[in-house]
């Protein structure tokens, strides 16, 4: 059988088996959980694959039932897992998530120390065909997992840029994984400086840059070499400042109203899916920012990290409805 062409997009990091509580309350009291998958990097990869992109996933899983579950699930979602390595010496990471009420951020507990994915290293990218790569998405999670994962992050960004791929970066802060806040700030800001499109949340940007306003946070990354900054403002929408298309622009778009917030986890990943897919589709930064807010709003209306990410036909329906609403509001 002929092997399919190399992925045009690549994401990397740690996918974990997720257990979501079926009832509210302290996890110590919960007896029933539903098994799913978790991981910011895989959320984005799955979201882009659902929109029709050929997305590769680079990671490690344990030689265990959880690793087999992850591989099967990711392949079912359309990810190209040729760069997913089975590690016989380390286990697959696990995460447990409570069921929160009234749209609150759910508490989560991780079992990932020494996981298979934390053993990732530059050599794991030896088989990547960078010449075929159109875009690489990175987050701040892999460099927090281990020194070798950090080396891999720099290696992938460097090789992708050398071969002409565009690069996006979402800080996805995980302070508990870092030895110090200073190390986290310096490392993630340095990684962001190696990319084209930076996508922090407002609080993340404030912590990382020391700036307060979206305008100044974006300016920090533009001064470091980024081409564009898309800030996540939660229910308030998003903010853009950048040089896509040549002349620098800055603007915001409002958030998308939702009937009920069910689960906030994954909203930022949905935002990244929207922005990246739109820019790769060749639309304007304003349309990209709006799509980011739209998919982020979809993500919070269902339980689960990636269950709300739309397929292309659903996205087209949502964007058409949004355009129709905007036209009616303008008349």
């Amino acid at each position: 059988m002929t092997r399919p062409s190399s992925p045009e997009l690549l994401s990397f990091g740690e996918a974990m088996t997720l257990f979501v509580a079926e009832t509210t309350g302290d996890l110590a009291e919960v007896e029933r959980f539903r098994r799913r998958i978790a991981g910011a990097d895989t959320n984005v990869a799955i979201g882009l694959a659902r929109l029709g992109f050929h997305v590769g996933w680079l990671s490690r899983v344990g030689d265990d039932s959880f690793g087999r579950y992850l591989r099967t699930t990711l392949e079912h979602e359309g990810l190209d897992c040729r760069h997913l390595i089975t590690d016989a010496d380390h286990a697959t990471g696990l995460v447990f998530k409570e069921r929160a009420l009234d749209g609150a951020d759910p508490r989560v507990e991780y079992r990932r120390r020494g996981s298979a994915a934390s053993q990732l290293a530059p050599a794991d990218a030896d088989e990547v065909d960078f010449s075929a790569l159109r875009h690489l998405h990175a987050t701040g999670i892999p460099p927090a997992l281990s020194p070798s994962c950090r080396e891999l992050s720099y290696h992938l960004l460097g090789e992708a840029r050398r071969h002409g791929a565009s690069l996006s970066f979402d800080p996805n802060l995980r302070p508990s994984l870092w030895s110090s806040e200073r190390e986290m700030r310096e490392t993630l800001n340095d990684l962001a400086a190696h990319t084209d499109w930076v996508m922090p949340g407002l609080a993340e940007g404030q912590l990382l840059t020391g700036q307060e306003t979206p305008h100044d946070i974006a300016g920090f990354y533009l001064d470091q070499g980024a081409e564009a900054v898309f800030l996540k403002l939660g229910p308030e929408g998003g903010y853009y400042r950048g040089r896509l298309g040549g002349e620098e622009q800055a603007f915001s778009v409002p958030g998308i109203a939702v009937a009920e917030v069910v689960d906030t986890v994954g909203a930022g990943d949905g935002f990244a899916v929207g922005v990246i897919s739109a820019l790769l589709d060749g639309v304007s930064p304003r349309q990209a920012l709006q799509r980011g807010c739209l998919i982020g709003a979809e993500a919070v209306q269902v339980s689960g990290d990636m269950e709300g990410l739309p397929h292309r036909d659903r996205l087209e329906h949502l964007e058409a409805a949004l355009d129709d609403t905007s036209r009616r509001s303008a008349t």
Side-chain angles (χ1 to χ4, degrees):
M1 184 174 69
T2 303
R3 197 178 198 194
S5 59
S6 297
E8 60 174 337
L9 276 63
L10 184 67
S11 183
F12 65 100
E14 181 168 32
M16 292 170 287
T17 299
L18 166 68
F19 292 91
V20 183
E22 292 198 344
T23 55
T24 58
D26 191 322
L27 287 175
E29 307 298 326
V30 175
E31 296 186 356
R32 297 175 65 87
F33 294 81
R34 178 169 295 183
R35 184 179 65 171
R36 290 176 174 164
I37 69 171
D41 308 283
T42 44
N43 290 342
V44 176
I46 289 169
L48 292 168
R50 288 182 180 180
L51 296 179
F53 295 98
H54 183 187
V55 185
W57 172 243
L58 190 155
S59 187
R60 285 175 174 254
V61 292
D63 187 12
D64 49 39
S65 59
F66 298 123
R68 293 192 296 275
Y69 167 70
L70 287 173
R71 183 183 295 274
T72 300
T73 303
L74 294 173
E75 289 179 341
H76 178 74
E77 285 288 348
L79 298 193
D80 187 319
C81 290
R82 70 181 71 188
H83 303 305
L84 177 57
I85 298 164
T86 297
D87 185 331
D89 299 319
H90 301 88
T92 304
L94 306 178
V95 57
F96 298 83
K97 183 169 70 172
E98 73 170 6
R99 182 172 294 279
L101 292 172
D102 301 322
D105 292 340
R107 286 190 292 271
V108 295
E109 294 184 7
Y110 295 96
R111 298 293 181 270
R112 74 195 314 178
R113 187 180 300 276
S115 68
S118 71
Q119 309 305 308
L120 282 165
D124 292 330
D126 285 350
E127 300 301 317
V128 174
D129 182 3
F130 289 98
S131 67
L133 203 60
R134 183 181 175 195
H135 184 80
L136 174 76
H137 179 64
T139 76
I141 299 174
L145 295 177
S146 68
S148 64
C149 283
R150 194 173 309 175
E151 292 174 14
L152 173 67
S153 297
Y154 278 106
H155 174 69
L156 287 173
L157 289 171
E159 287 299 300
R161 169 153 285 180
R162 189 167 70 85
H163 285 83
S166 54
L167 309 170
S168 56
F169 182 72
D170 184 338
N172 259 297
L173 299 189
R174 299 293 189 274
S176 64
L177 296 178
W178 293 91
S179 61
S180 71
E181 185 179 296
R182 178 180 177 180
E183 181 187 41
M184 179 179 70
R185 287 198 313 268
E186 292 179 349
T187 303
L188 297 189
N189 286 337
D190 188 45
L191 285 167
H194 287 74
T195 64
D196 303 307
W197 314 329
V198 183
M199 295 176 285
L202 179 58
E204 290 178 325
Q206 290 169 336
L207 177 59
L208 290 172
T209 70
Q211 304 298 319
E212 287 297 318
T213 68
H215 180 85
D216 290 341
I217 292 168
F220 175 92
Y221 289 114
L222 293 176
D223 289 344
Q224 300 302 309
E227 188 178 14
V229 180
F230 295 83
L231 267 96
K232 297 167 280 192
L233 304 180
E236 301 304 314
Y239 176 86
Y240 167 83
R241 183 180 174 190
R243 296 182 285 265
L244 292 174
E247 185 176 345
E248 183 171 318
Q249 292 179 291
F251 52 80
S252 60
V253 301
I256 308 296
V258 300
E260 180 185 8
V261 175
V262 176
D263 187 346
T264 59
V265 176
D269 304 325
F271 180 92
V273 170
V275 169
I276 295 167
S277 65
L279 294 177
L280 295 177
D281 284 346
V283 305
S284 71
R286 185 177 295 275
Q287 290 170 294
L289 185 61
Q290 191 158 54
R291 184 184 291 183
C293 293
L294 183 63
I295 297 184
E298 283 291 289
V300 303
Q301 296 181 71
V302 298
S303 177
D305 292 10
M306 56 79 177
E307 280 70 12
L309 300 174
H311 291 80
R312 180 67 73 165
D313 55 352
R314 170 68 176 167
L315 175 62
E316 291 174 351
H317 171 76
L318 290 168
E319 290 188 320
L322 187 61
D323 288 343
D324 186 53
T325 300
S326 298
R327 282 194 297 271
R328 288 201 304 268
S329 298
T331 58

